[in-house]
Amino acid sequence: MALINLNKKFEQIKNAVANVNFADVQLSESFKIEYEKYLNENRANGYVNVEWTKFSTKITSSSGKTIFLTNFWFYIASELSNYMDDLSIQREIFCKIYQGDNLQEVATSLREEVNNEDRNKIQQYFSNNSFSENELDYFLSFVSDYKSWGGGKTIDRNDYYVSPLLSAGNLLAETQSAIAEIAKQMSECPSLKNTFTPIFASLEKSFSKSLACKDNTISKPFLLLAGISGTGKTRFVREQAKLTGAFNDTYCLTSVRPDWHEPSDLLGYISRLNGQAEYVTTDVLQFIAKAWRGIADSNELVIEDKQAERLIVRGERDAIEKVKPYWLCLDEMNLAPVEQYFADYLSVLETREWHWEGDDFTYSCDALLKSATINELDDKSKLKKELGFENANYEELWQLICKYGLSIPFNLIVAGTVNMDETTHGFSRKVIDRALSFDFGEFFPNDYDEFFAPNSRHKSLSYPILSHATQADLDSTFDLDGKKSIDFLKSVNSVLKNTPFELAYRALNELLLAVVSAQPQDIKTLHAVWDDFLMCKVLPRIEGDQDKLGNNPSLLEKLSDLLKKTFGDDFWSNEHARPDLYRERITADNTADEDKIILVACRSRIKLNWMQARLDKASFTSFWP
């Protein structure tokens, strides 16, 4: 168990709760069942009955006393319980160090001064139990600063948690001490926290964020959809575009040809066959220009050139919500070597930059079609017309493009369909690292029984509006400060250490962006995000024979053992362990969101088992079906 800086965590919780946007909260049925079970098992504490209404809860004690709670208090308590988890760890260490002593006297003296005798005793315990120097400093800070969180109480008291939690939440003890009790219950009973998924009456997230995130965003605007022929990969992209309500404008299908070997096959080139320099465009370049026109058509967004060498888009969150995603489908993408014809796009993709200040944003990106190339043309008007900028409404945008070049618009999503057979090319890690790779059969399985009357559908996806994750972005998620995800990726990297598959900073950033995009509010959903990240970003990198992957145990087996320990037996083995983040049940319009959730098995377990079986049978394996 790793210790953290509780002073820092205290301030993070306090700031987050201070920015709560109040909304009515409904509780999921699974949480109600777990909470009633918890109360029945703890009748000795005085609870005998609980009654639920839509937005409030009534609890009756054994003495006949009644407690009325707004369900929003459960939400605040769930956030405070994350703080209490770490608070309890350090308090437990305090009790172990001073076991047999008068804890009240020790706690009182420590909050006044940590003398040399105490420091040596604490230091000896930490040394014997392999804690780091930083963790020692965190603990010393905890025992000395507890007074500022806990008021007049000391660490030894049974109700040690009440004052720190109320202080962190900036709550009045007279009216809302019940919140601290619920936070304690959630901290002590993981099943309560794991099943807690609040349903907000309003469409807003409960915590306002300095950096806003659209619903159902993807963390990367480049997707690889891999699977056997006929599973519906191309249709999936079409259906996503249809959900915008402007299919003809927001969808482009381009079939990749086997003879594509350079970026000009995708983005066009300058021709001088008629004696003049003119640009030969492609469907792809014209569609990129159309996506830019879609941005320009929003009168609430401004396209300008205040950032050196780049044109930028600036505006507010409300305006960006109205800009539709544009879907470019590169069909049979790996019929040609992707690293060759797609090289320029891959390089420019990594230059996308989003900056947010409150609800205001700016977006910029390097140019795909350079301004020098445009200005080399003898007649720019022909290119202007072919790219659709001849209308006077786009004159200002065209002039900026001539000055700074045509870059990747923020509302463009590229989805490549992929079949792996004897006619296609494989992918290098350079390509995989810049994409989200979906094993289509795992994420969107074909169910023959639902052919005539489907019971599920894929969720509507939209473009990302972040390029780099910060701690502020994570404030509204279950992984409040990102530490859980960071520790998870560190543990995965410990298995991949000294192999070609080791992960770098880009992987961490994209894991945190995935958490921000999915907005998990409980541990099970956070684990679902990690599971999908493994499938989209980690496992596609792994391929090779037994010499490369090892044997008895192989790299795959080591990774399986780690994930089973991380996720727990129930998540790892249960066929209905986790929510599907990309599909939902088809239900009536007024159905609660929780009833739309589809539960699926752990995807990384299935894929790792498949890859290991392939390695055992053929002495070679890869992620790709």
Side-chain angles (χ1 to χ4, degrees), residues 346-392:
L346 289 175
S347 296
V348 173
L349 184 66
E350 294 305 304
T351 69
R352 296 161 49 257
E353 291 186 8
W354 288 87
H355 294 285
W356 286 86
E357 293 185 7
D359 285 332
D360 298 324
F361 79 91
T362 61
Y363 167 84
S364 65
C365 179
D366 283 356
L368 278 170
L369 177 58
K370 309 295 184 185
S371 60
T373 303
I374 297 174
N375 293 320
E376 190 178 339
L377 303 177
D378 292 311
D379 182 9
K380 289 189 258 186
S381 62
K382 181 176 182 293
L383 178 61
K384 178 181 180 181
K385 182 177 180 180
E386 290 187 356
L387 295 183
F389 294 119
E390 71 273 20
N391 190 302

Side-chain angles (χ1 to χ4, degrees), residues 410-422:
F410 65 71
N411 56 337
L412 178 68
I413 302 172
V414 177
T417 66
V418 175
N419 291 315
M420 289 293 184
D421 58 35
E422 62 278 0

Side-chain angles (χ1 to χ4, degrees), residues 196-208:
F196 183 75
T197 305
I199 305 164
F200 299 101
S202 69
L203 296 179
E204 295 179 309
K205 298 291 183 185
S206 283
F207 281 135
S208 63

Side-chain angles (χ1 to χ4, degrees), residues 260-322:
W260 284 12
H261 289 283
E262 58 174 328
S264 62
D265 295 317
L266 187 78
L267 301 173
Y269 57 94
I270 289 180
S271 173
R272 291 182 172 84
L273 290 177
N274 63 358
Q276 289 187 322
E278 64 177 29
Y279 202 87
V280 179
T281 64
T282 63
D283 290 344
V284 170
L285 191 68
Q286 291 171 11
F287 187 69
I288 292 173
K290 182 186 282 190
W292 269 112
R293 297 200 305 273
I295 295 173
D297 287 338
S298 174
N299 296 325
E300 300 175 56
L301 296 176
V302 177
I303 304 174
E304 58 187 13
D305 61 350
K306 289 184 178 179
Q307 184 165 327
E309 305 306 322
R310 282 180 168 188
L311 64 83
I312 69 169
V313 183
R314 63 179 175 85
E316 297 180 351
R317 175 179 168 82
D318 290 343
I320 204 174
E321 293 282 1
K322 301 171 186 176

Side-chain angles (χ1 to χ4, degrees), residues 11-20 79 207-208 475-476 480:
E11 291 302 321
Q12 289 174 344
I13 290 283
K14 190 171 183 178
N15 290 336
V17 176
N19 291 317
V20 165
E79 295 299 324
F207 281 135
S208 63
D475 280 349
S476 59
L480 184 66

Side-chain angles (χ1 to χ4, degrees), residues 522-562:
D522 55 61
I523 189 63
K524 184 176 290 186
T525 310
L526 179 62
H527 282 172
V529 175
W530 295 351
D531 187 29
D532 288 347
F533 178 81
L534 290 164
M535 288 289 289
C536 292
K537 299 296 297 183
V538 180
L539 300 187
R541 297 165 50 86
I542 300 176
E543 53 80 28
D545 57 17
Q546 291 181 342
D547 288 339
K548 192 173 183 180
L549 299 179
N551 198 13
N552 294 323
S554 70
L555 178 70
L556 302 173
E557 291 170 324
K558 292 177 183 177
L559 195 53
S560 293
D561 290 342
L562 169 70

Side-chain angles (χ1 to χ4, degrees), residues 237-251:
V237 185
R238 288 175 58 87
E239 293 301 316
Q240 284 292 335
K242 285 181 180 180
L243 292 172
T244 67
F247 173 74
N248 291 332
D249 290 331
T250 62
Y251 176 72

